[in-house]
Amino acid sequence: MQRNINAFLLLSSAYPEAAVESFIAQWRAVEHAIKHLPASGVDSVVESARRQAVDQTPYWLSSASV
């Protein structure tokens, strides 16, 4: 997950910093939830964080035209 976040940050350097941070915050929440995952497996916190991240509006300007 950290590798993907770093790649996103590198590729998004031409975008406004506030927009980048707003978008990536959801994915950092997923990463945090995974790191603190209970021994019993995926819980509702991880699933909720994942859904919020996936349900975001596409970030890349060209993504909206797909």
Side-chain angles (χ1 to χ4, degrees), residues 35-58:
K35 285 181 179 178
H36 296 91
L37 192 65
S40 61
V42 176
D43 68 353
S44 62
V45 174
V46 174
E47 183 57 21
S48 175
R50 184 196 68 80
R51 284 180 192 256
Q52 289 178 2
V54 171
D55 289 343
Q56 294 185 92
T57 303

Side-chain angles (χ1 to χ4, degrees), residues 9-58:
L9 292 172
L10 285 171
L11 294 171
S12 65
S13 62
Y15 289 81
E17 188 175 341
V20 171
E21 286 302 317
S22 174
F23 184 83
I24 203 66
Q26 297 294 325
W27 290 103
R28 285 187 173 138
V30 172
E31 179 186 33
H32 178 77
I34 290 170
K35 285 181 179 178
H36 296 91
L37 192 65
S40 61
V42 176
D43 68 353
S44 62
V45 174
V46 174
E47 183 57 21
S48 175
R50 184 196 68 80
R51 284 180 192 256
Q52 289 178 2
V54 171
D55 289 343
Q56 294 185 92
T57 303

